[in-house]
Amino acid sequence: MNANIRTHVLLALSCLVLAMASAMADISRPSWLSDPLLASPPLLETVGENGPPCQLAQDNTATIISLATALDMALCFNPQSQDAWASIRQYSAQRGEARAAYLPNISAGISRQQQQSRYPASSRQMDTSITTDSRYASLTWRLLDFGGREARLQAADHMLSAALASRDAIVQKIMRDVIALFFSAQSAQAEREARAEGKNIAQEILTMTKRREAQGLAAHTDSLQAATALAKAELELARATAHADKTSLALALQLGLPQHRMQIPRIQAADVSRYQLIQKDLNTWLALASEQHPAIVAAYAQWQAAKEQYKATRADGLPVLDFSHSRYLNGRPNQELSARQSRESVTGLTLSIPLFEGFGRHYKQQGALAQIAQKEAQWQETRNQVLHDISQTYSEATASLHTLEASGRLLRIAEETMQAMQRKYAMGLADTQEILNAQAGLADARQERVRTLAEWRSAQLRLLAEAGKLRLHDVKSIPMNIRSGKTGPSSGFS
């Protein structure tokens, strides 16, 4: 076997080994073979192909779930997040396929064939047998086109950028939804506790009224009024409990946890001056979102990819120039066998000029133009929706900031009024209706305080999410459970 034959055999074996290695999904393969053209973004190299690893414990004990932990769990186990990582891998592969179009195609083959022939002639037979070992290697390389490969590569780059931005948009959406559910559940839990405390106060008032009635200091109608107030408080407690269970179940389903294993921290006082996040005006938020919101970035990248696809469709109808070189030993594949050894070498340049394809390419271009218009309209729609959501959330955050301090003052006044009425009623200086009115005012004030606290904390974080700028660090840096002194023994939420 001469040197040329050995070279072709080694080349064929090397190509066979590379093909088998790239087709096998073996974890032991070298990292360069998993992405030889460096098509994957650095993000996949940092967090892995399937996204960041989920390291959250899944035990059977009930634990207090903070907002940051809830966001971690939602981002880790949400199917939309997993789908986003799969899309990134998919478009990374398409990017690698577009880069591979610039490289040559090499193929090789080895075959051994045997031919036996029998020719009867008079009294004896003539048998012939031919055994041939044939080998071949071929290289094809596209040298020149009119922008088709470049357009496809640019389209793949844009689609990968869109996938990365879409993943960020999905993360923002998941965080926004979890924030809304978390504060809704926290608010419902706080309302249940407030109603429970209101029921206890109503029970104390009824006990005190009956004692005064027994002493002849109150009429029986006063006891009936106190009993009615207690029944109403129990009814409100039952409704608040059902609402709290409902919101807690919704949050548990979002996090993939059984409801009995999830507890959320109590909502406490808000020190607005410590973490005021609405320092930008609305126009600044809108400008920030227009430039950086991942949903808008993804829609714009898809629009640009559609433009590049149109360029690629046009380029497919233009000439291309290919270089090829092949070597054959003992004939070509699927050729008739010969008893003589042969060596053949073929080198050539091929210019392919598409002339007529039945108007198929014309309609492909029309479809590509329609795709461009569609993606542009989707980009405009996404942009308008994002800006609308930001404007609405900004209004909610601003309103909740203004009502937060007012609800604090209302609660302090209601607590002081209730304490004063309790003392006056115990001394016989106030009637039953007055203390019942004070109790109702305190219950309403507590409910308003809980709602404004939840609305404020939810709105400020949702505003960041609507602008596409919310990060887990922002959540962890905001104190969600600030303790402060109570103004009285039955102050509830301060």
Side-chain angles (χ1 to χ4, degrees), residues 168-186:
D168 293 338
I170 289 174
V171 167
Q172 297 294 317
K173 179 181 180 299
I174 293 174
M175 295 175 72
R176 181 192 63 199
D177 294 343
V178 171
I179 287 170
L181 287 174
F182 184 88
F183 284 108
S184 178
Q186 196 177 49

Side-chain angles (χ1 to χ4, degrees), residues 15 229 247 345 365 445:
C15 293
T247 55
S345 179
Q365 293 180 12

Side-chain angles (χ1 to χ4, degrees), residues 277-297:
L277 294 182
I278 316 179
Q279 298 177 353
K280 304 180 180 68
D281 57 19
L282 179 59
N283 292 331
T284 303
W285 283 109
L286 295 177
L288 181 66
S290 298
E291 297 176 358
Q292 301 181 13
H293 194 283
I296 298 178
V297 173

Side-chain angles (χ1 to χ4, degrees), residues 2-127:
N2 58 28
N4 288 333
I5 296 177
R6 287 197 300 270
T7 301
H8 285 92
V9 172
L10 292 175
L11 177 61
L13 292 176
S14 300
C15 293
L16 179 62
V17 171
L18 287 175
M20 293 176 62
S22 60
M24 293 173 58
D26 189 354
I27 59 175
S28 62
R29 65 184 178 180
S31 58
W32 67 268
L33 194 57
S34 63
D35 188 18
L37 299 183
L38 303 178
S40 299
L43 180 63
L44 289 184
E45 298 179 2
T46 303
V47 302
E49 292 186 354
N50 297 319
C54 299
Q55 300 178 349
L56 298 174
Q58 296 291 326
D59 52 25
N60 293 322
T61 60
T63 57
I64 296 180
I65 303 297
S66 66
L67 178 57
T69 302
L71 293 174
D72 282 331
M73 296 179 68
L75 294 175
C76 189
F77 300 111
N78 193 288
Q80 292 182 346
S81 179
Q82 298 173 4
D83 178 70
W85 287 111
S87 297
I88 293 176
R89 297 196 304 272
Q90 174 188 354
Y91 289 113
S92 296
Q94 292 185 7
R95 185 190 195 188
E97 184 178 351
R99 288 183 176 183
Y102 287 91
L103 299 179
N105 294 326
I106 302 174
S107 60
I110 302 175
S111 66
R112 182 183 182 90
Q113 303 181 65
Q114 185 176 17
Q115 178 179 343
Q116 291 183 348
S117 304
R118 177 172 296 179
Y119 303 94
S122 64
S123 60
R124 63 190 182 90
Q125 298 185 134
M126 296 180 60
D127 296 339

Side-chain angles (χ1 to χ4, degrees), residues 288-450:
L288 181 66
S290 298
E291 297 176 358
Q292 301 181 13
H293 194 283
I296 298 178
V297 173
Y300 183 80
Q302 292 176 355
W303 178 26
Q304 300 305 312
K307 293 181 179 180
E308 296 298 334
Q309 288 289 357
Y310 172 70
K311 294 180 182 178
T313 303
R314 290 187 56 190
D316 289 341
L318 300 176
V320 294
L321 180 64
D322 295 325
F323 167 80
S324 61
H325 176 75
S326 304
R327 291 182 65 88
Y328 304 95
L329 175 63
N330 298 333
R332 300 189 180 189
N334 302 320
Q335 191 179 43
E336 184 179 357
L337 300 183
S338 174
R340 295 182 301 175
Q341 290 189 348
S342 64
R343 293 180 177 85
E344 182 182 4
S345 179
V346 179
T347 303
L349 292 174
T350 303
L351 178 65
S352 301
I353 305 176
L355 296 179
F356 181 70
E357 299 179 2
F359 301 106
R361 191 159 308 283
H362 168 75
Y363 291 105
K364 287 184 179 179
Q365 293 180 12
Q366 294 299 317
L369 287 174
Q371 186 77 2
I372 292 176
Q374 182 185 37
K375 294 300 181 182
E376 182 181 9
Q378 291 176 356
W379 169 65
Q380 291 286 357
E381 181 182 3
T382 302
R383 183 176 180 274
N384 293 339
Q385 185 63 45
V386 168
L387 297 184
H388 173 268
D389 293 341
I390 289 179
S391 301
Q392 184 174 358
T393 307
Y394 182 87
S395 300
E396 294 175 359
T398 304
S400 63
L401 179 61
H402 293 160
T403 59
L404 184 62
E405 295 181 355
S407 67
R409 292 193 299 270
L410 176 63
L411 178 60
R412 287 192 295 270
I413 295 173
E415 289 172 346
E416 293 174 0
T417 301
M418 185 63 194
Q419 293 169 10
M421 282 298 172
Q422 285 177 326
R423 291 192 296 267
K424 290 177 65 177
Y425 190 75
M427 293 184 296
L429 301 178
D431 58 21
T432 305
Q433 188 61 46
E434 288 178 328
I435 193 169
L436 291 177
N437 291 338
Q439 176 206 359
L442 178 60
D444 292 339
R446 286 172 175 167
Q447 185 176 0
E448 288 294 331
R449 183 59 173 173
V450 167

